[in-house]
Amino acid sequence: MFHIIWSIIVGFIVGLIARWIVPGAEHYGFIMTTVVGIVGSVIGGFIGTLFSKPQPGQKFHTAGFLLSIVGAVILVYLLRFIQH
């Protein structure tokens, strides 16, 4: 249960940072910002595994937070491209 709450909190923070990096007129609420952060984390994790595989038993990738922000920024640009 704590893992889900932690994912929501980190997803919201990552989503806020991504929205700050990519300014725009889109008005995302709390839920959409959190979803952007969580999906961005998944995209960032995928990008991270392309460069180096995590060690067996390791729960998180070493560059997880930064790649989560990169993934969320990519997702915000994709959403903007799809909407326009």
Side-chain angles (χ1 to χ4, degrees):
M1 183 69 178
F2 184 70
H3 178 70
I4 294 171
I5 294 171
W6 186 247
S7 296
I8 292 170
I9 293 169
V10 170
F12 181 68
I13 293 170
V14 167
L16 281 178
I17 293 171
R19 295 278 304 145
W20 179 70
I21 291 173
V22 183
E26 296 89 2
H27 298 287
Y28 295 152
F30 172 77
I31 294 175
M32 187 62 180
T33 302
T34 304
V35 169
V36 165
I38 292 172
V39 174
S41 295
V42 171
I43 294 170
F46 177 72
I47 292 170
T49 56
L50 291 176
F51 292 108
S52 68
K53 305 287 185 215
Q55 300 296 326
Q58 184 179 5
K59 293 183 178 183
F60 300 105
H61 199 277
T62 52
F65 190 73
L66 293 177
L67 286 175
S68 295
I69 294 171
V70 169
V73 167
I74 291 170
L75 182 62
V76 168
Y77 276 122
L78 283 173
L79 288 173
R80 182 179 291 173
F81 178 74
I82 291 171
Q83 291 175 351
H84 290 90

